[in-house]
Structure formats: C-alpha cells, structure tokens
C-alpha cells in the first residue's frame, strides 16, 4: 500500500535561511509525487510535481524538490526563506499507476522568523 | 477562470440534520475529488469522479455519506444524518489530467456538527 511520511510536523527557520522539508514515501507502483502549500483558511495550491524524467524539479516561489528512488524520498528545499513562505506544506503520492488519486502526508508547518 | 467553487464556506448544523456541500469544478476538468481534512487524520480522499462517473468511493466513511455528480459542472456531498465526528473541512478539487497537472483545490467548507 502507498504511504507518505513527512518528518517533522513543525519546522522553524530564520528569514534568509535554507528551508528543508522532508518527505518519504512508500509505493508499489512508479510514483507520481507532489508538493502542495496551504495558507490559512485556503485550499491547497500545487508547488511542484515529479512524474518522469529529470529528478530535480523546480516549482513556484523558488522551491525545488529532488526525487531519490533509492532513498524513497522527495524532499522540498528553498535556498532562502521569505516571511511569505510561512504556511503548511503537504507531500502527496499517487496510489495508482495512472497517477489519478493521491494520498497526502500529515503536513509540515513552516514558520519563518525575522 | 474563477477556480473551483465550493459552497457554503462555513456550515454549522445540529446532530442528526442533513448536510449538503456543493462544488463547481473548473470548466473542462474531467476529474473531481472530494477530500476531508481533520487534525487527527489529515487529508483523506473520500471519492472521485471521472467524466461524472464515480470511480472510487472506498474512502467514504459510512453509508451516511453520499456523493453525486449530475453533470460536468456540479457535484454534491451529502451527509445524512450528520454526527459531531463529521466536523471537518471538506475540500473539492478538480483536474484535467492529475498526473500532469495535479489538482486545483477549492477553498473548502468548514463543517461543524453540534
């Protein structure tokens, strides 16, 4: 069965510091992987996705993630945090070969201090 | 495009009452998903449709829950009778091709059952 584990429910960084949000997955089929961001009282917004091809994927707002099959990981990074990055971040993996239905991790809340 | 539109944004109801949540997907999107978000369980996939046909409803928690998609521009999620443990934020999402484009989420309906 597919599963997603996000290590650390809460991450705090200073403005300008590196952001690293960890995601490990388990999948019995080639995975499609996604990161979403959720701001308070809003729906989730797609940050980036991995389907096939290049394992380093770039998304919006300067975020990127690297698919590492050997480590079953898809960690999200940003070189320099901004105050506006404070939000909750969700990693998701597809549960079927068509990449249609997704299961989500429990989320990581990112706090950014000045 | 106005995005995925959900109504109402907030719903407070008494235990035992019927609750209907509504969703208008993005025009042209063939897939529609209903998710439930709680602190304890995170985001759970309840059901999804492809071309108005329910494909997987294995996430629907009980027979009290039902979902319909009578046409390409409208879907409902109904809970009858409602219970306090149904209190959650319910999200609707739509997609053209999930593995290529991910999902576009609505702003959610916050349901409180007292």
């Amino acid at each position: 069965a597919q599963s997603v584990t996000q290590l650390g429910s809460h991450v705090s960084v200073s403005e300008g510091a590196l952001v690293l949000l960890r995601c490990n997955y388990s999948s019995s089929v080639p995975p499609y992987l996604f990161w979403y961001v959720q701001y308070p009282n809003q729906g989730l917004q797609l940050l980036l996705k991995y389907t096939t091809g290049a394992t380093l994927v770039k998304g919006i707002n300067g975020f990127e993630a690297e698919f590492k099959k050997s480590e079953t990981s898809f960690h999200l990074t940003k070189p320099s945090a901004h105050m506006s990055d404070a939000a909750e971040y969700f990693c998701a993996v597809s549960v079927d070969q068509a990449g249609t239905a997704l299961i989500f991790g429990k989320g990581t809340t990112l706090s950014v201090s000045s | 495009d106005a995005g995925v539109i959900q109504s109402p944004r907030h719903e407070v109801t008494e235990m035992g009452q019927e609750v209907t949540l509504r969703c208008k997907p993005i025009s042209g999107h063939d897939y529609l998903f209903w998710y439930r978000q709680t602190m304890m369980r995170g985001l759970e996939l309840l059901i999804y449709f492809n071309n108005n046909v329910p494909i997987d409803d294995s996430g629907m928690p009980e027979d009290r829950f039902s979902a319909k998609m009578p046409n390409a521009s409208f879907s409902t999620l109904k809970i009858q009778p409602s219970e306090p443990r149904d209190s959650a934020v319910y999200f609707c999402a739509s997609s053209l091709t999930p593995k290529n484009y991910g999902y576009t989420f609505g702003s959610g309906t916050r349901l409180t059952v007292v």
Side-chain angles (χ1 to χ4, degrees):
Chain A
Q2 281 67 253
S3 66
V4 180
T5 302
Q6 292 185 238
L7 300 174
S9 59
H10 200 141
V11 171
S12 297
V13 300
S14 300
E15 193 170 23
L18 171 72
V19 175
L20 171 60
L21 305 182
R22 300 178 187 272
C23 173
N24 288 88
Y25 70 90
S26 171
S27 179
S28 57
V29 298
Y32 297 98
L33 296 157
F34 303 80
W35 276 98
Y36 285 83
V37 61
Q38 184 180 31
Y39 299 99
N41 300 314
Q42 294 185 26
L44 283 72
Q45 301 172 31
L46 180 65
L47 269 181
L48 51 78
K49 64 185 186 303
Y50 169 79
T51 53
T52 57
T55 56
L56 181 63
V57 293
K58 297 184 184 299
I60 61 172
N61 301 337
F63 284 93
E64 61 183 37
E66 186 170 12
F67 169 58
K68 292 187 176 181
K69 184 177 180 180
S70 62
E71 299 177 9
T72 60
S73 69
F74 192 56
H75 301 331
L76 182 71
T77 60
K78 182 174 181 177
S80 177
H82 192 272
M83 297 291 286
S84 61
D85 295 327
E88 190 160 18
Y89 292 80
F90 293 90
C91 181
V93 65
S94 55
V95 299
D96 53 59
Q97 283 193 313
T100 301
L102 301 182
I103 57 170
F104 287 80
K106 290 291 182 67
T108 297
T109 299
L110 176 66
S111 300
V112 183
S113 58
S114 58
Chain B
D1 199 319
V4 177
I5 299 173
Q6 292 187 245
S7 64
R9 285 299 308 273
H10 302 274
E11 177 80 40
V12 180
T13 191
E14 292 185 348
M15 182 173 62
Q17 296 298 305
E18 178 180 295
V19 176
T20 300
L21 312 182
R22 297 172 175 79
C23 175
K24 176 179 170 58
I26 291 174
S27 177
H29 281 192
D30 295 329
Y31 291 87
L32 184 139
F33 304 83
W34 283 100
Y35 279 82
R36 178 172 67 175
Q37 185 180 38
T38 61
M39 289 291 290
M40 290 296 293
R41 302 172 70 94
L43 277 156
E44 302 172 277
L45 175 62
L46 301 178
I47 185 171
Y48 78 90
F49 297 82
N50 180 213
N51 291 322
N52 313 337
V53 176
I55 303 300
D56 184 354
D57 66 354
S58 60
M60 297 286 263
E62 300 170 35
D63 290 344
R64 299 184 296 108
F65 286 69
S66 62
K68 294 182 180 179
M69 193 165 185
N71 56 62
S73 59
F74 184 65
S75 177
T76 59
L77 179 67
K78 185 176 295 186
I79 308 173
Q80 165 64 19
S82 58
E83 297 183 3
R85 59 193 168 124
D86 302 330
S87 297
V89 181
Y90 291 81
F91 286 104
C92 175
S94 70
S95 179
L96 180 61
T97 309
K99 71 175 184 179
N100 291 334
Y101 300 102
Y103 300 168
T104 301
F105 280 82
S107 298
T109 295
R110 182 174 296 276
L111 174 65
T112 303
V113 183
V114 298

